[in-house]
Amino acid sequence: MSAALPPFDENTAEAFSATVAETIDAAAVAIMISVGHRTGLFDVMAGLKPSRSGQIAEAAQLTERYVREWLAVMVTGGIVNYDPETGSYHFPPEHAACLTRGAPLGNFSVAALAIPLVGGVEDRILSCFETGEGTQYGDYPCFHHMMAEDSAQTVVAQLFDIILPLVPELQDRLEQGIDVLDAGCGSGRALVALAARYSASHFTGYDLSKDAIESAKRSASAAGLHNTTFEVRDLTDFDSPNSFDFVTSFDAVHDQKDPQSLLTGLYKSLRQDGVYLMQDIGGSAHLEKNMDFPMASFLYMISCMHCMPVSIGQGGQGLGTMWGWETAEEMLKIAGFSEPERHVLPHDPMNVWFVSRKNG
């Protein structure tokens, strides 16, 4: 006989309904955070003293009525302060510290961009729930723009002072001149920054997204660089043995069709004593170990709405965003890297960085 169901607890039910209501309310604020970022309102308000809605709209070159309604969400959501006596709004510097471009604590509004973006593919994902099919990168308009902004603060901003020093000898080798590949380069911001710093080296970027590669080419051209190559390329069955001295992939492996095949191909593409630097989400492969992981629900949502179906859409396994550092480490070993080094940066608990060397 099956165990009897526990009795219905009305107090627990009411408390939970309040939690759900708060969650929905917070989601509304998240969408408006995205609007505040895309319109530049956060950046404008960060430089203003307490101001009325008309003054804010004028400074941002936007329409007052829409700005006023957006401000109402920001006030009720606890993002912006409001003084009813003067009718003025104030964006405290302590709040701007995580919601503006170049924010010292990181710009969380970039993550908020994902909420309306994936909402636009909800109908397609609902169909995938029924059919088991996947999606294509083209189903997500401007996704590479969001990823480029994220890369700018998680990778490019700390590339030379924090990330490259994970491989102590690397900067000297880059100055002398080596061949570098970024597998899944997106809009190429990391490679463009590297190419501008190390003119003696050559930098190649491959990505499946045509829009992202076109953006990368424009950036390299605007910077006057002649040591970069960007190419639209499906990295499935990647095979380019002994071609590179340094290979990177930033938040790109888990949504590939076949991550193991790609990692094996990247290992083979390295020359003797070559180095592979891989950044990915640092969560565990085990759900129960992610209960306190930063923004775990958000990451599982991104996995369900983008990373997993994109992989499945290529005929892949659909490992998802939270494939787990354990899985990544094991795949690196299977690929041929005997002793991958795992790093978690003190200021960035969300990501994991693997340094893997081709020796022997």
Side-chain angles (χ1 to χ4, degrees):
M1 294 180 61
S2 60
L5 292 173
F8 181 81
D9 188 322
E10 185 171 347
N11 291 333
T12 299
E14 289 182 356
F16 179 72
S17 70
T19 298
V20 172
E22 291 171 1
T23 299
I24 296 171
D25 200 50
V29 176
I31 292 175
M32 291 293 101
I33 287 176
S34 173
V35 170
H37 175 72
R38 295 186 66 184
T39 57
L41 276 163
F42 284 136
D43 301 305
V44 168
M45 291 190 68
L48 293 178
K49 62 183 181 181
S51 306
R52 296 176 65 87
S53 59
Q55 296 169 311
I56 295 168
E58 182 179 1
Q61 298 183 331
L62 298 169
T63 304
E64 187 277 337
R65 183 65 189 93
Y66 279 89
V67 170
R68 179 160 32 107
E69 207 72 0
W70 174 81
L71 284 166
V73 181
M74 293 297 96
V75 170
T76 56
I79 308 295
V80 170
N81 296 336
Y82 177 62
D83 183 349
E85 293 187 2
T86 62
S88 61
Y89 302 84
H90 182 228
F91 187 33
E94 295 82 3
H95 295 188
C98 68
L99 287 172
T100 53
R101 288 171 173 83
L105 299 182
N107 189 359
F108 283 32
S109 63
V110 173
L113 298 176
I115 306 300
L117 190 152
V118 299
V121 298
E122 183 177 6
D123 287 346
R124 177 74 183 109
I125 296 298
L126 289 174
S127 174
C128 292
F129 267 76
E130 297 175 354
T131 65
E133 296 175 348
T135 59
Q136 304 297 320
Y137 281 108
D139 294 330
Y140 305 84
C142 300
F143 184 80
H144 74 277
H145 290 303
M146 182 191 74
M147 293 306 298
E149 284 204 68
D150 181 66
S151 175
Q153 62 180 353
T154 60
V155 179
V156 180
Q158 55 193 6
L159 187 58
F160 301 107
D161 295 331
I162 298 175
I163 296 172
L164 292 185
L166 294 175
V167 188
E169 76 280 9
L170 184 57
Q171 297 191 65
D172 287 340
R173 295 184 66 186
L174 286 164
E175 289 176 354
Q176 294 167 9
I178 57 176
D179 292 309
V180 180
L181 168 67
D182 187 4
C185 66
S187 296
R189 293 198 179 188
L191 275 194
V192 168
L194 286 166
R197 175 73 68 95
Y198 302 109
S199 59
S201 292
H202 187 270
F203 301 86
T204 299
Y206 296 142
D207 199 276
L208 191 60
S209 170
K210 180 180 178 181
D211 289 344
I213 289 297
E214 289 177 352
S215 177
K217 289 180 177 179
R218 288 193 298 269
S219 296
S221 177
L225 300 176
H226 302 285
N227 58 336
T228 61
T229 300
F230 291 102
E231 180 182 329
V232 177
R233 184 164 177 176
D234 185 346
L235 292 175
T236 304
D237 301 321
F238 177 68
D239 185 26
S240 184
N242 302 310
S243 300
F244 302 101
D245 303 288
F246 179 44
V247 175
T248 63
S249 57
F250 302 114
D251 199 18
V253 174
H254 62 261
D255 56 0
Q256 299 295 318
K257 175 182 178 180
D258 188 346
Q260 184 63 75
S261 176
L262 173 59
L263 292 175
T264 300
L266 295 179
Y267 175 82
K268 293 178 180 178
S269 77
L270 284 169
R271 298 176 180 132
Q272 189 65 26
D273 296 322
V275 177
Y276 175 45
L277 175 66
M278 180 178 79
Q279 172 223 3
D280 217 292
I281 299 300
S284 173
H286 307 286
L287 173 60
E288 65 274 14
K289 295 182 179 180
N290 291 325
M291 300 305 293
D292 296 320
F293 190 77
M295 299 181 72
S297 297
F298 173 83
L299 292 167
Y300 278 118
M301 181 276 292
I302 291 292
S303 182
C304 185
M305 300 293 284
H306 177 268
C307 297
M308 183 188 75
V310 160
S311 173
I312 292 173
Q314 299 175 71
Q317 301 169 273
L319 293 180
T321 312
M322 299 291 268
W323 64 322
W325 66 264
E326 305 96 333
T327 305
E329 186 174 72
E330 181 62 23
M331 284 189 174
L332 286 167
K333 292 178 179 178
I334 292 172
F337 298 107
S338 59
E339 297 181 356
E341 304 169 10
R342 179 167 64 96
H343 302 268
V344 177
L345 304 177
H347 68 284
D348 181 18
M350 188 178 293
N351 290 291
V352 63
W353 299 82
F354 285 100
V355 175
S356 305
R357 301 172 184 273
K358 185 175 183 177
N359 298 315

